[in-house]
Amino acid sequence: MIRHETLNPPLHIYPVNEWKIIETAFYPRFLAQTETLFAIGNGYLGMRGNYEEGRPCFQNGTFINGFHETWPIVYGEKAYGFARTGQTMLNVTDAKTIRLYVDDEPFFLPTASLQLYERVLDMQTGTLDFEVLWETPSGKQVLIESRRLVSLEQRHVAAISYQVTVLNGDVPLVISSELQEAPPNQAGEEDPRQARGFARQVLLPAHHQSRDQRIILGHRTAASGMTLACGVDHRILTDNKYKMESACDGRQGHLSLSVQAQAGRPVQLFKFITYHSSRGGASPEELCARAERTLDRVTAAGFDHLLRQQRAFLDQFWHRADVEIEGDAEQLRRPPGEMQQALRWNLFQILQASARAEGTGIPAKGLTGQTYEGHYFWDTEIYLLPFITYTEPRIARNLLRFRHSMLDRARERAREVNQRGALFPWRTINGEEASAYYAAGTAQYHINADIIYALRKYVEVTDDKALLYNEGAEMLVETARLWLDLGFFSERKGGKFCIHGVTGPDEYTTVVNNNSFTNLMARENLWFAAATVAAMQKEHPEHYATLVHKTALEEGEVGDWQRAADAMYIPYDEELGIHPQDDEFLDKEVWDIKNTPRDKFPLLLYHHPLVIYRHQVIKQADVVLAMFLLGDEFSRDQKKRNFDYYDPLTTGDSSLSACIQAIIAAEIGNLEEAVRYARYAVLMDLADVGGNVRDGCHIASMGGTWMVAVYGFAGMRDYGGRLSFDPRLPKMLCRLRFCLIFQGQDLEVEVTHERTRYRLREGQGLILSHQGERVELKPGETIEMPLGDGAQEKRKKKTKE
């Protein structure tokens, strides 16, 4: 039960618009939050929503996915196998800044007299637009219009259009387009979730060049050896007379326009930006040459070309991925369209975090902030890949292949913790374990099973056997080996296979025996590994031979995995009729959540871990998450009893919890709770529910909002690669519509209170289940299925018009 929910500003300051986030006034006290909310990116490059003028700002942020510095983890007391190397995503060279001076007066938002202000994040055009009318102290009215984009089509490209028009007189003005040395990293001393700062400079100048309107800077990191090039080029459009000068010293550069502006004659500057990075295989000089070629291409094509590409990319994205909801405003007690606006913004942020994340993972905050150091967690596989797999399988495939690229280091990590097989890192950028707190880090062995769970879902949804039999099978073998070696057959548990000394998803309960979630997920991992390898040996001997060569697979290993899975111990309490979170969870004292002051959440910031560990208190869904992921392993009664027991113990201190609680609440018929949790998840960032959106978006929670709609209210389940629907739309929602790409076919689902409509937009034919009844869709066909009793007699069918 969420005990400390708050809906903070700035939600109420945004007019409701289903496709835009619009800010109509400058709110200095919300500056930090809006830098996150107006961030733009493409999965490779991300820019916080800082103003072009560079000031004011909370954190001036530009991030490259995976571009990081390394540092030695220092322990007061060392122990064998502790993680040794930390990794921090760096704030890189800032190319966003464009300063304006009119009649020698700088434009500075906090002191400017504004006659008009509007900032818009447009989710259809993929641009951040800004328009202000500034009246200078001398009475000049200056219209400033900017448009910023990070290209979704061209991975290494961003651009800004910046236009200034003096409306009521002639006046000299200066526009200074700058390329600045990387701003300081975020440094969180009190909050362990925030990134570390560096006392020394870590992004070192290595090369620079400039000519005409182009400036390029090359850098190398001090410890990790990664290299970076950032380049800008400009085009100027104006009828006014102007002079231009530029300078570059290796750390920063600028292009200045001195203009004799005449009334009504605009000055438009186009700033084209490119970033190229390397893990160290390419020199700064080589990356600068790549930047030159990119700038040649984009300046020749022009800004309007980038806009057209961006719109076309987003049109395709929304065609595949949009989720439409219509609600009863009176019952929702929110303005009409607000939830639609928030839901689309969540999906848009997932796109911005993943679209061009090629050869990398997805950081917990995307590219909107440095919290969690830019690390990749289990978030990707459990909370983001369902949405991505069903809407853009290409990206899902890339993310799974990226995990496979870490396999050798995962093998090394397993040896470091004295195990066979492979142990994927709990948090990482480069594949090395970067979690210095093993109890809530390394001990979360379930990361292995989470990755395999995502692999299995991906294969079932896409039928991509090539990935399964190559990269997937190798990961299956090594993760199965880890589980077999980690667990043991316990005589005290009647010969059952037990797994001790692990931490489940709930980080308020650590290093326990037989965590239910871990055991259940490990069993699925083992079963899937055994079945896949056996099938390869029988049906694809050439792939099997390659697998044996890669993994040194031995006779008998597959049978051992099967026996361990079949004998897996799953905790169950007969008296309460629930699944204990672990062997000792029910023996602990219950935390008094009701009487804990609201300002003392999250608990991790106000209580020593040992205090928390001694109590029954839950940071995020654990058994409840298992009931969602492996719902066919639980009866409906078990789900209800488990939910009713664990829900009051759950603090909501993790943004990953509410979406899962919403789904299970809907499944057991508690729609009122489901709606409350769904609202909490959907508005997590726009309403700044946790009070920390200033540090970046909760990208995984955003994936959870899609799951709430599709798995929760539409009642979709996809066990064993078979689609079924049991819709449970709450009263305050009138309509829900979404699309899925399933085994290469494009399915549209629309749910109302009276019926569910299934339309096969593209495909050769699809079979699914609706409330237990078989539905067979032919190409282009639409079938309407009534809800509730008597559905078979009332069924209506339409064919393609």
Side-chain angles (χ1 to χ4, degrees):
M1 183 76 69
I2 296 168
R3 301 294 187 185
H4 56 286
E5 175 180 351
T6 57
L7 294 183
N8 302 318
L11 176 65
H12 72 277
I13 69 175
Y14 303 127
V16 174
N17 184 299
E18 293 185 356
W19 289 104
K20 299 176 180 179
I21 305 296
I22 304 171
E23 186 180 51
T24 57
F26 174 54
Y27 296 96
R29 64 193 176 107
F30 300 138
L31 177 68
Q33 294 100 316
T34 57
E35 286 179 2
T36 294
L37 302 185
F38 287 96
I40 57 173
N42 64 6
Y44 170 75
L45 167 64
M47 296 178 172
R48 279 177 67 83
N50 309 113
Y51 294 101
E52 268 83 16
E53 295 72 29
R55 299 180 304 147
C57 77
F58 169 73
Q59 185 193 11
N60 187 2
T62 302
F63 310 111
I64 302 295
N65 193 353
F67 189 81
H68 67 279
E69 180 64 310
T70 56
W71 43 274
I73 299 174
V74 178
Y75 297 94
E77 296 182 28
K78 291 184 179 180
Y80 181 83
F82 276 16
R84 297 184 298 273
T85 305
Q87 305 135 46
T88 298
M89 182 176 72
L90 292 178
N91 203 347
V92 300
T93 311
D94 173 34
K96 302 185 297 296
T97 301
I98 302 174
R99 303 190 194 276
L100 172 65
Y101 305 85
V102 176
D103 204 10
D104 292 330
E105 293 290 332
F107 174 59
F108 182 54
L109 268 170
T111 58
S113 175
L114 302 179
Q115 311 302 307
L116 168 71
Y117 178 104
E118 185 175 81
R119 185 160 58 152
V120 179
L121 180 68
D122 191 318
M123 295 177 281
Q124 290 179 296
T125 63
T127 57
L128 177 60
D129 302 331
F130 185 45
E131 181 177 11
V132 293
L133 181 58
W134 169 38
E135 185 171 271
T136 70
S138 63
K140 295 297 188 292
Q141 291 193 333
V142 184
L143 181 65
I144 306 168
E145 302 167 276
S146 72
R147 171 167 280 190
R148 182 192 305 176
L149 66 84
V150 173
S151 177
L152 294 162
E153 185 68 37
Q154 302 194 50
R155 187 174 189 245
H156 299 275
V157 173
I160 301 171
S161 167
Y162 190 86
Q163 180 171 293
V164 180
T165 308
V166 182
L167 301 181
N168 63 344
D170 299 346
V171 67
L173 63 84
V174 174
I175 300 174
S176 178
S177 173
E178 302 179 2
L179 194 58
Q180 297 184 327
E181 190 173 13
N185 273 23
Q186 178 198 54
E189 297 181 0
E190 300 299 327
D191 189 337
R193 297 168 294 187
Q194 293 184 343
R196 62 179 279 121
F198 291 97
R200 57 187 170 82
Q201 186 176 357
V202 296
L203 197 57
L204 307 176
H207 182 77
H208 70 276
Q209 58 196 67
S210 65
R211 59 181 169 81
D212 301 327
Q213 301 166 38
R214 181 175 295 184
I215 303 168
I216 298 177
L217 301 178
H219 293 86
R220 186 187 303 275
T221 59
S224 68
M226 297 191 75
T227 50
L228 175 74
C230 174
V232 295
D233 205 347
H234 304 81
R235 294 294 179 266
I236 302 153
L237 184 62
T238 184
D239 291 333
N240 299 288
K241 293 182 179 180
Y242 67 91
K243 294 180 180 179
M244 181 181 66
E245 65 174 14
S246 63
C248 175
D249 64 5
R251 293 183 180 275
Q252 55 192 4
H254 73 272
L255 175 82
S256 294
L257 298 180
S258 298
V259 184
Q260 293 298 318
Q262 296 181 319
R265 294 190 174 184
V267 182
Q268 188 166 21
L269 173 74
F270 296 105
K271 185 174 189 177
F272 299 95
I273 304 166
T274 187
Y275 290 86
H276 286 265
S277 59
S278 169
R279 293 181 174 87
S283 68
E285 291 79 8
E286 179 183 340
L287 295 183
C288 288
R290 294 184 197 175
E292 289 265 20
R293 294 192 290 271
T294 301
L295 291 172
D296 287 343
R297 183 180 71 249
V298 296
T299 54
F303 190 79
D304 286 345
H305 178 69
L306 291 175
L307 289 176
R308 289 192 296 271
Q309 283 187 327
Q310 195 84 333
R311 180 62 192 246
F313 192 103
L314 282 162
D315 284 346
Q316 293 177 15
F317 169 74
W318 291 118
H319 178 73
R320 297 187 306 270
D322 192 19
V323 176
E324 295 179 9
I325 57 172
E326 293 179 11
D328 185 313
E330 183 176 345
Q331 292 201 49
L332 280 172
R333 292 180 294 176
R334 310 298 302 177
E338 182 184 85
M339 297 302 288
Q340 178 69 83
Q341 177 186 32
L343 181 54
R344 283 200 175 117
W345 182 78
N346 287 334
L347 301 182
F348 181 68
Q349 291 298 341
I350 299 174
L351 174 72
Q352 292 198 130
S354 66
R356 304 308 305 270
E358 293 144 14
T360 65
I362 300 177
K365 296 291 183 180
L367 298 174
T368 65
Q370 286 181 283
T371 296
Y372 295 117
E373 315 269 4
H375 289 171
Y376 316 131
F377 292 80
W378 70 313
D379 303 19
T380 299
E381 284 77 20
I382 297 301
Y383 292 87
L384 295 175
L385 271 177
F387 167 71
I388 294 171
T389 297
Y390 275 110
T391 57
E392 185 48 84
R394 174 191 64 83
I395 298 175
R397 190 175 203 274
N398 286 339
L399 291 168
L400 289 166
R401 292 186 69 189
F402 171 68
R403 281 295 191 185
H404 174 264
S405 74
M406 295 181 171
L407 186 57
D408 282 341
R409 283 191 164 173
R411 289 177 171 125
E412 292 174 11
R413 184 59 180 156
R415 289 193 291 272
E416 289 174 350
V417 295
N418 308 100
Q419 307 292 166
R420 294 189 66 222
L423 176 60
F424 284 96
W426 177 243
R427 54 186 298 176
T428 190
I429 296 177
N430 62 12
E432 293 181 81
E433 177 62 78
S435 177
Y437 186 52
Y438 74 88
T442 298
Q444 296 203 51
Y445 290 85
H446 66 85
I447 179 68
N448 270 21
D450 303 332
I451 292 168
I452 297 306
Y453 179 90
L455 169 69
R456 180 172 187 169
K457 286 296 182 187
Y458 168 81
V459 171
E460 290 172 348
V461 171
T462 64
D463 200 29
D464 186 352
K465 294 296 196 302
L467 181 71
L468 176 62
Y469 292 152
N470 291 291
E471 295 91 343
E474 195 176 358
M475 290 195 292
L476 280 167
V477 168
E478 300 295 8
T479 54
R481 282 172 170 166
L482 184 284
W483 291 121
L484 186 66
D485 189 48
L486 182 64
F488 69 104
F489 293 93
S490 170
E491 293 183 9
R492 293 178 62 86
K493 298 289 187 183
K496 291 289 187 179
F497 190 79
C498 295
I499 301 174
H500 286 183
V502 301
T503 298
D506 171 29
E507 294 175 343
Y508 284 174
T509 311
T510 67
V511 193
V512 299
N513 296 340
N514 292 314
N515 170 256
S516 290
F517 178 92
T518 302
N519 285 19
L520 283 161
M521 293 290 282
R523 181 170 68 177
E524 291 296 311
N525 191 159
L526 289 162
W527 272 338
F528 187 38
T532 300
V533 174
M536 289 174 66
Q537 184 177 18
K538 182 179 180 181
E539 300 168 14
H540 302 279
E542 69 287 357
H543 287 297
Y544 178 76
T546 301
L547 179 66
V548 170
H549 175 72
K550 286 180 178 179
T551 64
L553 183 66
E554 297 178 359
E555 233 12 89
E557 282 193 83
V558 173
D560 291 340
W561 304 339
Q562 184 71 43
R563 283 188 291 276
D566 292 343
M568 185 68 69
Y569 175 70
I570 308 300
Y572 186 75
D573 186 89
E574 295 287 349
E575 182 178 348
L576 295 176
I578 68 169
H579 292 79
Q581 190 164 292
D582 58 73
D583 278 353
E584 297 183 353
F585 186 80
L586 298 182
D587 296 328
K588 297 177 180 179
E589 180 184 0
V590 175
W591 188 288
D592 188 0
I593 293 180
K594 184 178 181 180
N595 291 311
T596 302
R598 291 179 64 180
D599 63 355
K600 297 303 180 184
F601 292 93
L603 299 183
L604 63 92
L605 297 184
Y606 301 97
H607 299 274
H608 192 282
L610 289 175
V611 175
I612 298 174
Y613 298 162
R614 294 186 189 110
H615 289 82
Q616 288 189 53
V617 62
I618 299 171
K619 181 184 178 186
Q620 63 202 66
D622 196 302
V623 171
V624 173
L625 176 59
M627 294 194 305
F628 164 57
L629 299 178
L630 305 172
D632 53 347
E633 302 287 338
F634 298 83
S635 70
R636 180 182 174 84
D637 286 343
Q638 287 175 343
K639 290 177 183 177
K640 187 177 189 312
R641 288 193 298 270
N642 281 324
F643 183 86
D644 289 345
Y645 186 85
Y646 289 111
D647 190 59
L649 303 177
T650 307
T651 63
D653 286 351
S654 169
S655 64
L656 303 181
S657 199
C659 54
I660 302 303
Q661 290 166 284
I663 293 168
I664 297 301
E667 183 174 1
I668 65 176
N670 193 343
L671 289 181
E672 184 176 339
E673 280 291 278
V675 168
R676 193 169 73 85
Y677 281 125
R679 178 170 168 264
Y680 178 92
V682 171
L683 298 177
M684 179 70 65
D685 286 332
L686 280 181
D688 197 8
V689 172
N692 62 348
V693 75
R694 65 186 182 182
D695 298 326
C697 291
H698 297 83
I699 299 295
S701 178
M702 293 170 172
T705 63
W706 181 86
M707 293 196 293
V708 170
V710 174
Y711 289 101
F713 297 142
M716 186 185 86
R717 294 295 182 268
D718 48 10
Y719 306 130
R722 296 180 296 276
L723 280 183
S724 66
F725 295 87
D726 186 8
R728 43 186 75 90
L729 206 61
K731 292 180 179 178
M732 57 280 296
L733 293 183
C734 307
R735 174 178 168 270
L736 168 65
R737 190 200 73 88
F738 57 90
C739 297
L740 306 168
I741 298 174
F742 183 73
Q743 297 179 355
Q745 306 188 80
D746 189 340
L747 173 68
E748 178 184 270
V749 181
E750 184 180 63
V751 181
T752 67
H753 289 290
E754 293 77 31
R755 51 101 180 124
T756 300
R757 185 170 63 89
Y758 302 98
R759 179 164 75 98
L760 192 59
R761 298 197 299 188
E762 295 179 19
Q764 302 303 309
L766 181 63
I767 297 173
L768 55 86
S769 172
H770 171 89
Q771 293 187 323
E773 182 179 352
R774 175 187 169 99
V775 176
E776 185 172 354
L777 287 163
K778 297 177 181 177
E781 187 175 47
T782 298
I783 295 179
E784 291 188 359
M785 300 293 293
L787 299 182
D789 297 335
Q792 186 167 6
E793 291 76 13
K794 301 175 184 176
R795 190 174 78 178
K796 300 177 182 178
K797 182 183 290 188
K798 296 180 182 177
T799 56
K800 185 176 179 181
E801 295 179 1

